[in-house]
Amino acid sequence: SHIRHAWDPTKSVAQNLAEMGLAEDPNKAVPIPGKNLLGMEVESDGWEQGKKIVRKPYVVNEMEYEASLPEKKSNTLSRDLIDYVRYMIQNHGENYKEMARDEKNYYQDTPKQIKRKINVYKNFYPEEYKDFIASLKQEKMDVQ
């Protein structure tokens, strides 16, 4: 979006990128010293010394700032998986073999697979899991 806002449609791609301080061809921007296209060693006296005027340095600065921001963790589980796990725990407790034989086990998960799904739910939503188990215990006490 930063490049899009600074783009000048009357200029070429190379001119636009040069004004922003960006490279048009990454192979020319950062050459591999001492190698040519055939893989043979070549004498090189450094990099090309061509000074380019950067007229829009804010574009690179904004992109660097945006890249330095920490990434948001958006790890969530699907509503179907949460409902499935809650149903299994509510009806079968910790009996994974019984869960595997349940009619709601549409994907025919093995007891180990069901246990793994429950552990993933525990890790993603530890507070919600504790509240859910507490509510199940409360229901059992109310029934008795």
Side-chain angles (χ1 to χ4, degrees):
S1 67
H2 304 296
I3 294 173
R4 190 178 304 123
H5 292 298
W7 196 264
D8 184 1
T10 61
K11 296 181 180 176
S12 71
V13 173
Q15 289 171 333
N16 271 307
L17 292 175
E19 280 187 356
M20 294 178 213
L22 300 172
E24 178 188 12
D25 185 4
N27 295 322
K28 291 179 183 174
V30 185
I32 300 172
K35 296 275 185 182
N36 70 4
L37 295 176
L38 300 174
M40 300 169 66
E41 292 296 323
V42 178
E43 295 279 330
S44 66
D45 54 327
W47 299 25
E48 284 184 31
Q49 296 298 326
K51 293 206 173 191
K52 295 181 181 176
I53 299 171
V54 179
R55 295 195 171 122
K56 299 177 184 177
Y58 60 89
V59 175
V60 174
N61 294 338
E62 289 172 354
M63 290 172 62
E64 285 176 349
Y65 172 74
E66 194 173 303
S68 70
L69 293 175
E71 206 174 303
K72 291 180 182 177
K73 290 188 177 182
S74 60
N75 294 338
T76 59
L77 297 177
S78 68
R79 190 75 237 163
D80 291 336
L81 180 63
I82 293 170
D83 293 341
Y84 172 77
V85 167
R86 292 177 130 228
Y87 168 83
M88 290 298 186
I89 293 171
Q90 190 171 11
N91 290 325
H92 306 291
E94 298 268 326
N95 190 346
Y96 301 110
K97 287 184 180 180
E98 199 174 306
M99 290 179 193
R101 284 189 232 111
D102 193 289
E103 63 183 18
K104 294 264 184 178
N105 184 8
Y106 299 126
Y107 297 108
Q108 297 181 357
D109 293 328
T110 64
K112 276 190 173 182
Q113 289 172 320
I114 294 171
K115 185 175 184 178
R116 201 173 304 125
K117 286 181 181 182
I118 291 172
N119 287 335
V120 167
Y121 174 71
K122 285 180 191 178
N123 292 334
F124 271 76
Y125 304 104
E127 296 299 319
E128 188 177 315
Y129 177 76
K130 287 177 187 173
D131 294 341
F132 178 64
I133 295 299
S135 70
L136 287 178
K137 289 180 180 175
Q138 188 66 29
E139 285 178 19
K140 285 182 181 179
M141 293 175 104
D142 291 343
V143 170
Q144 292 174 358

